[in-house]
Amino acid sequence: MWLLIALLLGDWLLLQVSSRVFTEGEPLDLRCHGWKNKLMYNVIFYQNGKAFKFFPQNSELSILKTNTSHNGIYHCSAMGRHRYTSAGVSVTVKGLQSSTPAWFNIVFYLIVGIITLVDTVLCMTIHKKLQRKKKRNLAISLDSNHGKKVTSCLQKDRHLEEELKCQEQEEEKLQERTHQKKPKKEER
Ligand SMILES: *[C@@H]1O[C@H](CO)[C@@H](O)[C@H](O)[C@H]1NC(C)=O
């Protein structure tokens, strides 16, 4: 049975399609014919505005196995007394692969769940280990830091003392020089 879906454009040409919605693999029949089945010739079929099939006499086109590439809006044009063009008819072909099978979803969520579980367990064990290490390190560093601070303070003191001595020595030298220079000037 033909389904009359196409609209009449002007007063003449009709595009009929066997169905408007398909599942991939099903056949699609297109029929382009004139009003009251008047004889038409030089029939052109268009998909999304692009001519894809020309029939000098015939006006029926069969696609045996549809796939998603057959989606789109179809129309046809044909010669009678002059060239007529039909209205567009949209055809939808549902792909089989587009809906993911149920087992895939189940496996996917299982894997994600396992990964999350492993991650959390790993995180927790690492966290615990780190905390234990931190406690140990803290105890050690407290002891060693105390010692270091004392020694560094002592060293700093020594440095200061040395610097002071140096400055004093330099000042003494400067004073000596000025004392030596002054008398020379006085001589001239
Ligand atoms: C769809 O089917 C046509 C034949 O009708 C074929 O030429 C084309 O390669 C197919 N496309 C896909 C994406 O399978």
Side-chain angles (χ1 to χ4, degrees):
M1 263 284 283
W2 282 93
L3 280 170
L4 187 79
I5 299 160
L7 291 167
L8 187 69
L9 187 91
D11 55 350
W12 278 96
L13 207 61
L14 271 173
L15 177 67
Q16 290 177 307
V17 296
S18 48
S19 176
R20 292 187 72 158
V21 180
F22 294 93
T23 309
E24 200 172 18
E26 284 178 341
L28 163 63
D29 296 318
L30 302 162
R31 189 201 279 177
C32 188
H33 69 93
W35 191 239
K36 289 175 189 167
N37 280 328
K38 278 221 173 183
L39 189 71
M40 308 298 285
Y41 58 98
N42 288 352
V43 176
I44 302 169
F45 286 93
Y46 301 84
Q47 183 190 10
N48 298 323
K50 267 190 174 178
F52 72 95
K53 199 78 190 180
F54 172 75
F55 290 119
Q57 298 278 311
N58 193 8
S59 62
E60 280 188 37
L61 172 66
S62 287
I63 296 165
L64 293 177
K65 278 193 169 184
T66 50
N67 57 42
T68 48
S69 75
H70 296 113
N71 264 305
I73 294 165
Y74 289 85
H75 78 273
C76 67
S77 73
M79 282 301 284
R81 267 184 297 170
H82 56 89
R83 183 157 284 277
Y84 298 96
T85 302
S86 79
V89 181
S90 81
V91 169
T92 307
V93 181
K94 291 185 205 161
L96 290 171
Q97 265 82 39
S98 65
S99 56
T100 49
W103 66 265
F104 179 83
N105 283 336
I106 292 166
V107 169
F108 178 77
Y109 286 117
L110 254 175
I111 289 169
V112 170
I114 289 165
I115 288 170
T116 323
L117 201 84
V118 169
D119 254 15
T120 38
V121 168
L122 266 173
C123 262
M124 276 162 73
T125 47
I126 288 168
H127 191 71
K128 274 182 188 171
K129 272 186 188 173
L130 275 177
Q131 271 188 337
R132 262 181 238 153
K133 262 195 182 174
K134 261 188 193 171
K135 273 179 193 169
R136 252 182 263 152
N137 281 355
L138 257 177
I140 292 164
S141 69
L142 271 173
D143 288 344
S144 61
N145 264 355
H146 200 68
K148 269 183 198 168
K149 267 180 192 169
V150 170
T151 50
S152 67
C153 274
L154 281 169
Q155 278 175 344
K156 265 185 194 170
D157 279 354
R158 260 179 232 158
H159 268 295
L160 272 172
E161 274 178 1
E162 275 170 7
E163 270 181 313
L164 270 171
K165 271 182 194 170
C166 269
Q167 277 184 353
E168 277 173 3
Q169 279 174 352
E170 273 178 359
E171 274 175 340
E172 275 174 9
K173 276 181 195 170
L174 268 171
Q175 276 180 351
E176 275 172 12
R177 269 184 218 165
T178 47
H179 279 299
Q180 280 174 353
K181 275 179 188 174
K182 266 178 190 173
K184 272 181 190 174
K185 273 182 186 174
E186 275 170 19
E187 271 174 27
R188 281 183 184 178

